[in-house]
Amino acid sequence: MTGPTELGEFLRIRRSGLQPEDVGLQNYGVRRVPGLRREELAMLAGVSITYYTRLEQGLSSNASESVLEAITRALQLNEAERSHLMDLAKPTRTKRRSGAKPDKARPGTLRLIESMSSMPAVVLGRRSEVLAWNSLGHKLVGSHLDFESPHCPADRPNMTRMLFLDAHTRELYASWCEEATRAVSSLRLLAGRFDDDLDLISLVGELTVKSPEFAKLWAKHPVENCMSGLKYFQHPSVGSMELDFEVLTSPDESGHRILMYTAEPDSPSAAALQLLQATAA
């Protein structure tokens, strides 16, 4: 999922999304393809057209950090996109990791989410697989699944797979297209960071084959570090809810995240969440 081909694809897609006027250049003549030309991007980055072309074609490796920073500025990348570019340009050369040893949430993390009785919480692994959830988190995002399913690797739910392939989950999100874009953007970032993860590669391959919608979004190479925001739910038990979400990321290299949901106090969504909590008790 990473390497010269992915790097070139990312650069081409981002270059095609910029117009000359976006970067202060005059637009002369008819353009056969949308976006900046390679020579324009190379000029903005202060590198030779030959060097940039080789980089985009995957014929040059080990680009210096100063060159990558110059390309970041020329492409007007945000911080998440910059981080992704660095991951693609300098992938970690380690032995590819398989799922031989199933991942699991730490005991302290389990105690933490269990103490959040009034807040839905889900522990995710690096591949967006559910490692654990508290009672309210289960009722919110996986009420049609066995509560114990995250503890069995063979049956473990995966939030991204569910979003694209599970009908119940698809109906749960009132703004499904927004949620799908957000999920793919996060998965792209993780794929660049954990390029040696065979299970993550397998997940992307499965979704690309089984979901044309995923394949179309994946090809656009969106990148976003989705740490907070608003999600719109249409829950089968309590109806519509607008919930803020926050993501806490583990400081180690595990890729574990805690996804938490809250509602605006005294709002209809807060009342719906309280009703859901009553059914989860």
Side-chain angles (χ1 to χ4, degrees):
M1 288 180 299
T2 60
T5 301
E6 289 292 313
L7 173 61
E9 178 186 351
F10 179 68
L11 291 173
R12 286 191 296 274
I13 290 173
R14 288 301 180 273
R15 177 167 58 83
S16 68
L18 284 176
Q19 300 303 319
E21 51 269 25
D22 295 332
V23 294
L25 297 178
Q26 294 258 341
N27 189 0
Y28 296 106
V30 178
R31 292 176 180 258
R32 292 177 296 175
V33 294
L36 294 179
R37 299 185 177 100
R38 281 177 179 164
E39 57 267 27
E40 292 171 332
L41 198 285
M43 179 189 68
L44 290 169
V47 299
S48 71
I49 177 60
T50 300
Y51 181 87
Y52 179 78
T53 299
R54 288 177 60 83
L55 189 65
E56 205 173 86
Q57 292 177 342
L59 301 175
S60 179
S61 60
N62 298 320
S64 69
E65 186 170 339
S66 61
V67 167
L68 295 175
E69 290 289 2
I71 292 174
T72 293
R73 292 191 294 272
L75 288 174
Q76 301 181 359
L77 302 183
N78 60 34
E79 185 56 34
E81 292 168 331
R82 172 192 173 278
S83 177
H84 187 60
L85 173 63
M86 296 297 177
D87 287 334
L88 294 180
K90 296 184 177 181
T92 304
R93 302 302 180 185
T94 58
K95 183 179 180 180
R96 289 185 180 271
R97 287 173 281 190
S98 69
K101 185 178 181 181
D103 202 359
K104 61 181 181 179
R106 289 185 292 272
T109 303
L110 293 176
R111 289 193 293 270
L112 176 62
I113 65 169
E114 287 167 1
S115 70
M116 302 176 181
S117 59
S118 62
M119 179 187 301
V122 182
V123 182
L124 300 176
R126 68 172 56 166
R127 309 169 196 94
S128 70
E129 72 274 27
V130 179
L131 301 180
W133 43 28
N134 62 10
S135 181
L136 194 50
H138 168 246
K139 284 293 184 181
L140 178 64
V141 301
S143 59
H144 61 297
L145 301 174
D146 190 327
F147 178 79
E148 298 295 331
S149 58
H151 303 298
C152 179
D155 300 324
R156 182 170 284 166
N158 181 287
M159 294 286 279
T160 305
R161 181 185 288 114
M162 290 164 59
L163 184 63
F164 285 93
L165 303 181
D166 180 78
H168 293 281
T169 303
R170 191 183 186 101
E171 293 174 357
L172 179 64
Y173 293 97
S175 299
W176 184 88
C177 291
E178 178 183 343
E179 191 65 25
T181 301
R182 180 184 284 157
V184 174
S185 299
S186 295
L187 194 62
R188 266 292 187 186
L189 197 63
L190 293 169
R193 187 173 302 155
F194 301 109
D195 69 296
D196 59 342
D197 192 316
L198 288 176
D199 290 332
L200 185 54
I201 295 172
S202 177
L203 174 65
V204 172
E206 176 193 357
L207 292 175
T208 300
V209 170
K210 294 182 178 180
S211 171
E213 291 161 312
F214 177 88
K216 185 177 180 180
L217 283 170
W218 187 258
K220 294 180 179 179
H221 216 128
V223 178
E224 185 180 356
N225 194 15
C226 304
M227 303 301 292
S228 63
L230 189 64
K231 292 179 185 281
Y232 301 91
F233 293 92
Q234 186 61 42
H235 198 276
S237 298
V238 297
S240 62
M241 289 185 288
E242 296 181 6
L243 300 180
D244 292 293
F245 74 91
E246 297 285 340
V247 178
L248 299 181
T249 302
S250 175
D252 59 21
E253 293 298 316
S254 66
H256 290 189
R257 294 158 287 157
I258 302 177
L259 175 59
M260 302 171 296
Y261 302 89
T262 59
E264 185 73 23
D266 302 319
S267 67
S269 294
L273 199 56
Q274 287 180 337
L275 181 58
L276 188 64
Q277 183 182 0
T279 68

